Amino acid sequence: MAEMVPNPLYEALGDALRRVEPLVQEIEKDVEAPYRQFHSGKVWTGPAAKRFDEQLAHHRTRARGSGEKILSDLRQALARTPRQVSEQEARMIRSRYGLP
């Protein structure tokens, strides 16, 4: 039986998830704060503010959905990827994806 080694793709996906997750959280936080301030009614009111609010809400929803989708896709890919592979498979994976 071939000796099993850590799967470089599994490690790369885990690294990507650890790097992307805080960025997604930061984006959500950075969009959420102005959204809440705007909805306090103390920032801007009137017809133009209402139109702006609709756009802001749309972009907020889009940003949150995109971030959640990226994280979900990474988590699913990580769950489908074996933690260990044979040395030959590891070499092929490194070559295919340009991993160290």
Side-chain angles (χ1 to χ4, degrees), residues 2-88:
E3 183 178 337
M4 302 300 276
V5 297
N7 184 345
L9 183 57
Y10 185 88
E11 292 174 353
L13 288 168
D15 286 345
L17 183 58
R18 283 187 294 279
R19 289 179 188 206
V20 169
E21 195 163 30
L23 296 174
V24 168
Q25 290 171 354
E26 184 178 340
I27 289 168
E28 288 179 358
K29 183 186 80 168
D30 288 349
V31 170
E32 191 65 25
Y35 180 81
R36 287 180 188 229
Q37 285 178 337
F38 189 79
H39 280 104
S40 72
K42 298 176 185 176
V43 177
W44 184 20
T45 59
K50 184 176 181 189
R51 288 190 301 275
F52 178 80
D53 178 43
E54 291 169 0
Q55 291 177 350
L56 181 60
H58 171 74
H59 291 299
R60 174 182 173 248
T61 300
R62 231 175 119 200
R64 294 178 98 189
S66 296
E68 290 170 10
K69 174 81 168 105
I70 290 167
L71 292 175
S72 175
D73 289 351
L74 276 172
R75 287 183 183 118
Q76 287 177 15
L78 190 60
R80 289 189 309 264
T81 303
R83 288 179 184 254
Q84 294 194 324
V85 293
S86 70
E87 180 61 45
Q88 180 182 359

